[in-house]
Amino acid sequence: MNKHDVTQDLCPLCQQSNTCAVESGEPIDACWCTRVTFPPKNAMLGAMPASSSCICEACIDKLNQQVELGIKRLD
């Protein structure tokens, strides 16, 4: 196994499971990400490290909260 295989199931922001259905072999329609609202692209780009793995639902919620409140969370 290479490093890429090991980390694709982890959120690059919090290092917790991203529970990506596609990474688990399920169709994209089964993934939680098809049922949530993502923050604007500029909020995502500012938070995302250089990674191709999916971020988790908890981090999406935190980013949406940042945008809504106009703040930058430090956790």
Side-chain angles (χ1 to χ4, degrees):
M1 240 194 274
N2 65 37
K3 186 176 180 181
H4 181 75
D5 292 335
V6 173
T7 61
Q8 285 297 71
D9 62 340
L10 296 180
C11 173
L13 299 178
C14 69
Q15 302 304 307
Q16 299 300 309
S17 174
N18 57 25
T19 61
C20 178
V22 175
E23 284 298 316
S24 299
E26 301 291 325
I28 187 67
D29 295 341
C31 197
W32 63 266
C33 71
T34 63
R35 296 179 292 281
V36 298
T37 301
F38 282 77
K41 187 176 181 178
N42 62 338
M44 297 286 291
L45 291 176
M48 291 295 295
S51 174
S52 62
S53 47
C54 298
I55 65 175
C56 69
E57 191 170 6
C59 286
I60 288 290
D61 289 343
K62 288 178 182 179
L63 288 171
N64 278 327
Q65 185 179 45
Q66 279 183 203
V67 170
E68 184 179 319
L69 297 175
I71 61 171
K72 173 71 175 146
R73 293 176 60 113
L74 299 176
D75 61 349

